[in-house]
Amino acid sequence: MKPAIFSIITASIIFTAQHSSAAPAPACPQGLTYIGTAYKEANAEPGHEAKVTALPPFLVTFPRNFRLDKSYRMRGGRWAGGSAGAVANDGDVPNGLYVMGSGTEGGAKGWSIGAPVLKVIDEDDDGKITQRGYTIPLYCHTGSGVADQIGHVSCNVSAVFCAKEMK
């Protein structure tokens, strides 16, 4: 017999590091390059809340030898929606990076994304960074009220990463 928790809540995690030719890349602001999308979703049986927790954070890796142009500064981001509160803002985004958040809204559903944090993935023998990535916390929920848990109970959250490349 399976533990009850597995029959109650099913969580799915999908990650797209680079866009594929089968699906068009999300639109980035002019002059920025699409890097990847962080995406998580959760599904639950009726009568239970679906929730994606912020931990562990999601890792988005950059192409090798991608050099960030740190003269670019993000403005006008969306950090939360629905019933979830924002835990980050544009000032938390490192220069050179742009993050577009979105997720499930309506009723008591909500989503939020946290501040991206730089991670060095690889460096050469001289200590020069040859590949970097950013981790980002993703969160969503359907609500814990009885009306929020009727029918198909699910939520999702995504963060599209764009970056300014140094030419």
Side-chain angles (χ1 to χ4, degrees):
M1 184 170 175
K2 291 183 180 178
I5 191 74
F6 292 115
S7 64
I8 295 172
I9 299 173
T10 305
S12 303
I13 300 173
I14 300 169
F15 170 62
T16 307
Q18 299 284 341
H19 67 278
S20 68
S21 59
C28 290
Q30 187 173 2
L32 301 183
T33 302
Y34 172 70
I35 299 299
T37 301
Y39 177 84
K40 289 185 180 181
E41 66 181 30
N43 298 287
E45 296 291 326
H48 299 279
E49 180 179 19
K51 184 183 286 187
V52 167
T53 60
L55 295 174
F58 205 93
L59 176 66
V60 174
T61 56
F62 279 52
R64 294 188 73 72
N65 298 310
F66 187 96
R67 294 179 52 214
L68 277 175
D69 179 346
K70 296 188 178 184
S71 68
Y72 174 79
R73 188 75 191 135
M74 179 176 165
R75 288 190 179 81
R78 188 159 182 238
W79 296 94
S83 65
V87 294
N89 61 54
D90 293 355
D92 295 323
V93 177
N95 286 359
L97 190 61
Y98 183 87
V99 182
M100 295 181 280
S102 65
T104 307
E105 299 181 28
K109 292 182 179 185
W111 62 272
S112 68
I113 59 175
V117 175
L118 174 67
K119 297 291 179 191
V120 173
I121 307 296
D122 193 24
E123 54 186 61
D124 65 18
D125 293 338
D126 297 325
K128 178 185 170 201
I129 296 172
T130 57
Q131 188 170 25
R132 71 180 76 222
Y134 283 88
T135 59
I136 189 164
L138 302 174
Y139 172 83
C140 72
H141 67 241
T142 56
S144 57
V146 173
D148 305 317
Q149 299 172 7
I150 296 172
H152 182 72
V153 183
S154 67
C155 70
N156 66 61
V157 57
S158 68
V160 173
F161 279 71
C162 301
K164 174 93 176 186
E165 186 170 13
M166 187 173 292
K167 301 287 180 181

